[in-house]
Amino acid sequence: MSELRTLVSGIAMGESPRWRDGQVWFCDWVAGRIARADPDTGETTLVAEVNDMPICIDWLPDGRLLAVSGQQGLLLRVGADGTLERHAVLGAGSWNEVVVDRRGNVFVNEIGFEFPGGEFRPGRVCVLAPGDDALREVAGGLAFPNGMAVRDDTLIVAESYAGRLTAFDIAPDGGLANRREFAAVEGSAPDGISLDPSGAVWFADVPNRRCVLVAEGGEILATVDADRGCFSCALGEDTLYITANEWGENGAGEGVVYAAKV
């Protein structure tokens, strides 16, 4: 087991860590903040304040930052000075993760039901292709689509309620085809994910309080255990950054960003 180092503490509800420009970026849902932290000192810089839950972030190929504003049903552009502009209307739904491919196709998934407490319904993945004004659905029937990542021209989606990672081929216009199982992870509820240079995928697992490295086909290569639920992770160089939190009504304010050498 890799030793965990607490990089940032006192987060209301941390999610969507990303490694970019030598910094760890993350969202604090409850506080409505997007921030970045120095990977050595943990010193945190506020990137933007969002009058909503900033669910997830990613960057367009030209370097502009996007954020999912979940309750407002919007995809926002975040300026270098923290200003927010509407990039696209997502509409009604339980919008979740965003990821952008090398062509600028923006994939956003929607879990399909109100969480927590709502009756389960299958979720979907939608895409906003460059030049398009509206999203279009490109995959459905997903059991709580959660973390997403792009490897070359493949989209990988964590299905939290199915205990698996699912892969699709990405067409130039953002269409998805050749749906297949990337890895079955029975007994896990894969949440946020991050690519490993080996081609394997790290996934965070809230109920099992861990992050797991799984190869295509399902072989477990490594595990990092924690003392609270792991909601998402991001690999930066030789370190895995994990947003973790106590799950439940008393969890707000117990969020941390852990760092683990892997």
Side-chain angles (χ1 to χ4, degrees):
M1 183 180 83
S2 299
E3 183 178 349
L4 293 177
R5 172 171 63 95
T6 301
L7 184 67
V8 183
S9 60
I11 300 170
M13 180 61 195
E15 259 282 11
S16 187
R18 300 288 186 262
W19 175 259
R20 187 176 176 91
D21 299 330
Q23 299 269 293
V24 186
W25 301 62
F26 62 93
C27 299
D28 190 339
W29 284 6
V30 175
R33 294 182 174 185
I34 301 169
R36 63 176 184 265
D38 183 281
D40 297 318
T41 66
E43 182 179 354
T44 302
T45 301
L46 178 66
V47 174
E49 291 187 286
V50 181
N51 187 27
D52 190 8
M53 283 189 178
I55 300 293
C56 187
I57 57 173
D58 203 10
W59 287 262
L60 291 166
D62 62 10
R64 290 179 295 171
L65 176 62
L66 298 179
V68 174
S69 180
Q71 293 171 317
Q72 297 181 82
L74 296 174
L75 188 62
L76 302 174
R77 286 194 307 274
V78 183
D81 59 355
T83 56
L84 303 173
E85 294 183 66
R86 188 174 73 182
H87 187 74
V89 175
L90 301 175
S94 299
W95 299 100
N96 196 10
E97 293 262 342
V98 61
V99 70
V100 184
D101 74 4
R102 60 185 176 86
R103 299 184 182 95
N105 292 309
V106 180
F107 297 95
V108 188
N109 64 34
E110 195 261 323
I111 68 173
F113 64 101
E114 186 177 344
F115 178 84
E119 182 180 354
F120 170 77
R121 291 189 300 274
R124 57 187 174 141
V125 177
C126 297
V127 69
L128 181 70
D132 285 356
D133 296 324
L135 280 79
R136 72 181 194 275
E137 183 175 327
V138 287
L142 295 161
F144 199 144
N146 223 318
M148 296 193 295
V150 173
R151 187 185 72 183
D152 299 324
D153 289 327
T154 300
L155 177 71
I156 302 170
V157 183
E159 292 189 71
S160 294
Y161 278 12
R164 66 173 171 244
L165 305 182
T166 298
F168 300 87
D169 292 340
I170 304 173
D173 68 350
L176 299 180
N178 189 25
R179 179 174 179 165
R180 60 199 181 275
E181 183 177 271
F182 179 88
V185 288
E186 189 174 346
S188 297
D191 199 323
I193 66 176
S194 182
L195 296 178
D196 186 83
S198 68
V201 173
W202 284 98
F203 70 85
D205 186 349
V206 176
N208 292 306
R209 298 187 167 197
R210 63 184 183 179
C211 287
V212 178
L213 180 63
V214 62
E216 187 168 5
E219 181 184 359
I220 301 301
L221 304 177
T223 301
V224 176
D225 293 308
D227 63 345
R228 62 197 76 186
C230 296
F231 284 78
S232 192
C233 55
L235 184 64
E237 298 177 350
D238 63 349
T239 301
L240 189 69
Y241 299 96
I242 303 164
T243 47
N245 209 86
E246 294 291 351
W247 176 246
E249 294 180 359
N250 299 321
E254 298 298 324
V256 295
V257 177
Y258 285 133
K261 291 285 187 182
V262 294

PDB file of all heavy atoms in Angstrom, residues 60 66 75 87 98-101 104-108 126-130 135:
ATOM      1  N   LEU A  60     -10.266  22.741 -23.181  1.00  0.00           N
ATOM      2  CA  LEU A  60     -10.308  22.656 -24.629  1.00  0.00           C
ATOM      3  C   LEU A  60      -8.882  22.595 -25.168  1.00  0.00           C
ATOM      4  O   LEU A  60      -7.933  22.992 -24.480  1.00  0.00           O
ATOM      5  CB  LEU A  60     -11.036  23.872 -25.201  1.00  0.00           C
ATOM      6  CG  LEU A  60     -12.549  23.940 -24.926  1.00  0.00           C
ATOM      7  CD1 LEU A  60     -13.069  25.337 -25.238  1.00  0.00           C
ATOM      8  CD2 LEU A  60     -13.285  22.890 -25.750  1.00  0.00           C
ATOM      9  N   LEU A  66     -13.091  24.548 -19.065  1.00  0.00           N
ATOM     10  CA  LEU A  66     -14.530  24.347 -19.020  1.00  0.00           C
ATOM     11  C   LEU A  66     -14.928  23.760 -17.671  1.00  0.00           C
ATOM     12  O   LEU A  66     -14.172  22.994 -17.071  1.00  0.00           O
ATOM     13  CB  LEU A  66     -14.990  23.389 -20.124  1.00  0.00           C
ATOM     14  CG  LEU A  66     -14.760  23.805 -21.575  1.00  0.00           C
ATOM     15  CD1 LEU A  66     -15.266  22.714 -22.508  1.00  0.00           C
ATOM     16  CD2 LEU A  66     -15.434  25.134 -21.895  1.00  0.00           C
ATOM     17  N   LEU A  75     -22.677  24.544 -19.274  1.00  0.00           N
ATOM     18  CA  LEU A  75     -21.250  24.321 -19.430  1.00  0.00           C
ATOM     19  C   LEU A  75     -20.613  25.703 -19.506  1.00  0.00           C
ATOM     20  O   LEU A  75     -20.973  26.506 -20.372  1.00  0.00           O
ATOM     21  CB  LEU A  75     -20.968  23.505 -20.694  1.00  0.00           C
ATOM     22  CG  LEU A  75     -19.533  23.027 -20.913  1.00  0.00           C
ATOM     23  CD1 LEU A  75     -19.090  22.088 -19.792  1.00  0.00           C
ATOM     24  CD2 LEU A  75     -19.401  22.339 -22.269  1.00  0.00           C
ATOM     25  N   HIS A  87     -20.714  28.579 -22.125  1.00  0.00           N
ATOM     26  CA  HIS A  87     -20.168  27.927 -23.315  1.00  0.00           C
ATOM     27  C   HIS A  87     -21.247  27.149 -24.050  1.00  0.00           C
ATOM     28  O   HIS A  87     -21.281  27.133 -25.277  1.00  0.00           O
ATOM     29  CB  HIS A  87     -19.024  26.989 -22.915  1.00  0.00           C
ATOM     30  CG  HIS A  87     -18.282  26.396 -24.070  1.00  0.00           C
ATOM     31  ND1 HIS A  87     -17.405  27.112 -24.849  1.00  0.00           N
ATOM     32  CD2 HIS A  87     -18.303  25.134 -24.593  1.00  0.00           C
ATOM     33  CE1 HIS A  87     -16.907  26.342 -25.801  1.00  0.00           C
ATOM     34  NE2 HIS A  87     -17.433  25.132 -25.665  1.00  0.00           N
ATOM     35  N   VAL A  98     -17.148  15.776 -17.386  1.00  0.00           N
ATOM     36  CA  VAL A  98     -16.812  16.318 -18.697  1.00  0.00           C
ATOM     37  C   VAL A  98     -15.391  15.895 -19.048  1.00  0.00           C
ATOM     38  O   VAL A  98     -14.517  15.823 -18.179  1.00  0.00           O
ATOM     39  CB  VAL A  98     -16.948  17.860 -18.729  1.00  0.00           C
ATOM     40  CG1 VAL A  98     -16.018  18.525 -17.725  1.00  0.00           C
ATOM     41  CG2 VAL A  98     -16.699  18.414 -20.129  1.00  0.00           C
ATOM     42  N   VAL A  99     -15.173  15.587 -20.335  1.00  0.00           N
ATOM     43  CA  VAL A  99     -13.832  15.321 -20.833  1.00  0.00           C
ATOM     44  C   VAL A  99     -13.780  15.782 -22.289  1.00  0.00           C
ATOM     45  O   VAL A  99     -14.782  15.707 -23.009  1.00  0.00           O
ATOM     46  CB  VAL A  99     -13.456  13.825 -20.692  1.00  0.00           C
ATOM     47  CG1 VAL A  99     -14.247  12.958 -21.659  1.00  0.00           C
ATOM     48  CG2 VAL A  99     -11.970  13.609 -20.876  1.00  0.00           C
ATOM     49  N   VAL A 100     -12.616  16.254 -22.714  1.00  0.00           N
ATOM     50  CA  VAL A 100     -12.439  16.812 -24.057  1.00  0.00           C
ATOM     51  C   VAL A 100     -11.391  15.993 -24.794  1.00  0.00           C
ATOM     52  O   VAL A 100     -10.329  15.681 -24.238  1.00  0.00           O
ATOM     53  CB  VAL A 100     -12.006  18.288 -23.994  1.00  0.00           C
ATOM     54  CG1 VAL A 100     -11.929  18.887 -25.397  1.00  0.00           C
ATOM     55  CG2 VAL A 100     -12.959  19.101 -23.117  1.00  0.00           C
ATOM     56  N   ASP A 101     -11.676  15.632 -26.059  1.00  0.00           N
ATOM     57  CA  ASP A 101     -10.674  14.893 -26.822  1.00  0.00           C
ATOM     58  C   ASP A 101      -9.786  15.850 -27.614  1.00  0.00           C
ATOM     59  O   ASP A 101      -9.957  17.070 -27.581  1.00  0.00           O
ATOM     60  CB  ASP A 101     -11.329  13.825 -27.700  1.00  0.00           C
ATOM     61  CG  ASP A 101     -12.047  14.377 -28.937  1.00  0.00           C
ATOM     62  OD1 ASP A 101     -12.000  15.606 -29.186  1.00  0.00           O
ATOM     63  OD2 ASP A 101     -12.671  13.575 -29.667  1.00  0.00           O
ATOM     64  N   GLY A 104     -11.278  18.490 -29.862  1.00  0.00           N
ATOM     65  CA  GLY A 104     -12.149  19.494 -29.267  1.00  0.00           C
ATOM     66  C   GLY A 104     -13.567  19.027 -29.049  1.00  0.00           C
ATOM     67  O   GLY A 104     -14.433  19.833 -28.683  1.00  0.00           O
ATOM     68  N   ASN A 105     -13.841  17.739 -29.258  1.00  0.00           N
ATOM     69  CA  ASN A 105     -15.152  17.205 -28.920  1.00  0.00           C
ATOM     70  C   ASN A 105     -15.296  17.186 -27.399  1.00  0.00           C
ATOM     71  O   ASN A 105     -14.441  16.635 -26.695  1.00  0.00           O
ATOM     72  CB  ASN A 105     -15.317  15.784 -29.459  1.00  0.00           C
ATOM     73  CG  ASN A 105     -15.383  15.737 -30.965  1.00  0.00           C
ATOM     74  OD1 ASN A 105     -16.162  16.452 -31.584  1.00  0.00           O
ATOM     75  ND2 ASN A 105     -14.549  14.895 -31.573  1.00  0.00           N
ATOM     76  N   VAL A 106     -16.362  17.796 -26.910  1.00  0.00           N
ATOM     77  CA  VAL A 106     -16.598  17.885 -25.467  1.00  0.00           C
ATOM     78  C   VAL A 106     -17.666  16.860 -25.077  1.00  0.00           C
ATOM     79  O   VAL A 106     -18.820  16.974 -25.493  1.00  0.00           O
ATOM     80  CB  VAL A 106     -17.062  19.298 -25.072  1.00  0.00           C
ATOM     81  CG1 VAL A 106     -17.299  19.381 -23.560  1.00  0.00           C
ATOM     82  CG2 VAL A 106     -16.046  20.351 -25.509  1.00  0.00           C
ATOM     83  N   PHE A 107     -17.281  15.865 -24.288  1.00  0.00           N
ATOM     84  CA  PHE A 107     -18.206  14.835 -23.841  1.00  0.00           C
ATOM     85  C   PHE A 107     -18.661  15.157 -22.417  1.00  0.00           C
ATOM     86  O   PHE A 107     -17.840  15.427 -21.541  1.00  0.00           O
ATOM     87  CB  PHE A 107     -17.539  13.460 -23.870  1.00  0.00           C
ATOM     88  CG  PHE A 107     -17.138  13.015 -25.240  1.00  0.00           C
ATOM     89  CD1 PHE A 107     -15.844  13.229 -25.711  1.00  0.00           C
ATOM     90  CD2 PHE A 107     -18.060  12.394 -26.077  1.00  0.00           C
ATOM     91  CE1 PHE A 107     -15.462  12.833 -26.984  1.00  0.00           C
ATOM     92  CE2 PHE A 107     -17.692  11.993 -27.353  1.00  0.00           C
ATOM     93  CZ  PHE A 107     -16.396  12.215 -27.809  1.00  0.00           C
ATOM     94  N   VAL A 108     -19.975  15.136 -22.215  1.00  0.00           N
ATOM     95  CA  VAL A 108     -20.560  15.354 -20.890  1.00  0.00           C
ATOM     96  C   VAL A 108     -21.531  14.213 -20.627  1.00  0.00           C
ATOM     97  O   VAL A 108     -22.330  13.859 -21.509  1.00  0.00           O
ATOM     98  CB  VAL A 108     -21.310  16.702 -20.812  1.00  0.00           C
ATOM     99  CG1 VAL A 108     -21.740  16.981 -19.371  1.00  0.00           C
ATOM    100  CG2 VAL A 108     -20.451  17.850 -21.335  1.00  0.00           C
ATOM    101  N   CYS A 126     -23.357  12.671 -23.847  1.00  0.00           N
ATOM    102  CA  CYS A 126     -23.647  13.606 -24.930  1.00  0.00           C
ATOM    103  C   CYS A 126     -22.341  14.267 -25.371  1.00  0.00           C
ATOM    104  O   CYS A 126     -21.354  14.278 -24.628  1.00  0.00           O
ATOM    105  CB  CYS A 126     -24.635  14.679 -24.473  1.00  0.00           C
ATOM    106  SG  CYS A 126     -26.261  14.037 -24.006  1.00  0.00           S
ATOM    107  N   VAL A 127     -22.352  14.814 -26.573  1.00  0.00           N
ATOM    108  CA  VAL A 127     -21.161  15.472 -27.095  1.00  0.00           C
ATOM    109  C   VAL A 127     -21.529  16.831 -27.663  1.00  0.00           C
ATOM    110  O   VAL A 127     -22.611  17.019 -28.236  1.00  0.00           O
ATOM    111  CB  VAL A 127     -20.467  14.603 -28.177  1.00  0.00           C
ATOM    112  CG1 VAL A 127     -21.308  14.504 -29.446  1.00  0.00           C
ATOM    113  CG2 VAL A 127     -19.078  15.143 -28.487  1.00  0.00           C
ATOM    114  N   LEU A 128     -20.625  17.772 -27.477  1.00  0.00           N
ATOM    115  CA  LEU A 128     -20.678  19.067 -28.150  1.00  0.00           C
ATOM    116  C   LEU A 128     -19.454  19.118 -29.055  1.00  0.00           C
ATOM    117  O   LEU A 128     -18.326  19.268 -28.583  1.00  0.00           O
ATOM    118  CB  LEU A 128     -20.646  20.211 -27.139  1.00  0.00           C
ATOM    119  CG  LEU A 128     -20.716  21.627 -27.729  1.00  0.00           C
ATOM    120  CD1 LEU A 128     -22.109  21.894 -28.297  1.00  0.00           C
ATOM    121  CD2 LEU A 128     -20.369  22.680 -26.688  1.00  0.00           C
ATOM    122  N   ALA A 129     -19.678  18.951 -30.351  1.00  0.00           N
ATOM    123  CA  ALA A 129     -18.574  18.957 -31.314  1.00  0.00           C
ATOM    124  C   ALA A 129     -18.207  20.399 -31.660  1.00  0.00           C
ATOM    125  O   ALA A 129     -19.041  21.311 -31.560  1.00  0.00           O
ATOM    126  CB  ALA A 129     -18.969  18.193 -32.566  1.00  0.00           C
ATOM    127  N   PRO A 130     -16.967  20.643 -32.083  1.00  0.00           N
ATOM    128  CA  PRO A 130     -16.567  21.997 -32.465  1.00  0.00           C
ATOM    129  C   PRO A 130     -17.505  22.557 -33.539  1.00  0.00           C
ATOM    130  O   PRO A 130     -17.826  21.887 -34.522  1.00  0.00           O
ATOM    131  CB  PRO A 130     -15.155  21.805 -33.011  1.00  0.00           C
ATOM    132  CG  PRO A 130     -14.644  20.587 -32.316  1.00  0.00           C
ATOM    133  CD  PRO A 130     -15.841  19.693 -32.175  1.00  0.00           C
ATOM    134  N   LEU A 135     -25.782  20.086 -27.755  1.00  0.00           N
ATOM    135  CA  LEU A 135     -25.303  18.734 -27.518  1.00  0.00           C
ATOM    136  C   LEU A 135     -26.163  17.732 -28.252  1.00  0.00           C
ATOM    137  O   LEU A 135     -27.336  17.978 -28.520  1.00  0.00           O
ATOM    138  CB  LEU A 135     -25.340  18.412 -26.020  1.00  0.00           C
ATOM    139  CG  LEU A 135     -24.212  18.928 -25.133  1.00  0.00           C
ATOM    140  CD1 LEU A 135     -24.423  20.389 -24.810  1.00  0.00           C
ATOM    141  CD2 LEU A 135     -24.126  18.106 -23.856  1.00  0.00           C
TER     142      LEU A 135
END
